[in-house]
Structure formats: structure tokens, C-alpha cells
Amino acid sequence: MDNQIDNIENLSFEEALLELENIVRELESGRIKLDDAISCYEKAVTLKKLCQEKLQAATLKVEKIEISKDGVMSTTPLDNVEV
């Protein structure tokens, strides 16, 4: 199981999300044995956590670049940008 978790942690956001979607479809189909469903659920929880962490990290990196009238460049977190 640890090897499986290591492999999950190396997935990109898109890969993890696709795998999570596949697991959800499989669980929703109802054609999976109980033991397999439990394993899939545990994997899905790990994938969900990874996706949340990657989204949070990406959100922290998104900033608005501003250039003042005197040419000085600065950044502002996207949360502070007025729409």
C-alpha cells in the first residue's frame, strides 16, 4: 500500500483527478465487490487530498503583476485584486 501511495503522490493534478473520476464511476456502477470498493474508497480519499493540496498550492502562486506609473513592478495576491 505504501508503494501505491508513493505513486499517487507523484501524479499531476490532472492525472489524479482523472483517476479519482474513474474510481467514482466504478463505485457508482455498483458492480464492484465490497473489499474492492473499500480499497477504491481509500485510494479516492488519498487522491482527493492530493488534488486539494495541489489546488491550494496553485492558488497561492497566482498573483497579479502591477507596474506603477514610475515603472516599478510589484505583485499582489489574486485575492486582493478588485474585479
Side-chain angles (χ1 to χ4, degrees):
M1 183 75 172
D2 288 337
N3 190 25
Q4 187 177 14
I5 291 173
D6 290 342
N7 291 338
I8 289 173
E9 290 176 356
N10 292 324
L11 294 175
S12 69
F13 173 80
E14 292 78 10
E15 292 167 333
L17 186 58
L18 180 62
E19 196 161 339
L20 184 56
E21 289 170 347
N22 290 335
I23 289 172
V24 169
R25 265 193 296 280
E26 189 173 352
L27 289 171
E28 287 178 341
S29 76
R31 296 179 300 220
I32 188 169
K33 294 180 182 179
L34 180 61
D35 289 340
D36 293 337
I38 292 169
S39 294
C40 284
Y41 177 80
E42 291 170 347
K43 184 176 181 182
V45 169
T46 303
L47 287 164
K48 178 186 171 278
K49 181 180 175 191
L50 175 72
C51 287
Q52 285 178 318
E53 289 170 355
K54 288 187 180 277
L55 278 176
Q56 184 178 16
T59 300
L60 294 174
K61 291 180 182 177
V62 176
E63 296 181 330
K64 177 182 175 188
I65 299 172
E66 298 178 334
I67 301 175
S68 66
K69 291 181 182 181
D70 59 354
V72 175
M73 196 180 317
S74 63
T75 60
T76 304
L78 192 59
D79 291 354
N80 295 337
V81 175
E82 293 181 21
V83 179

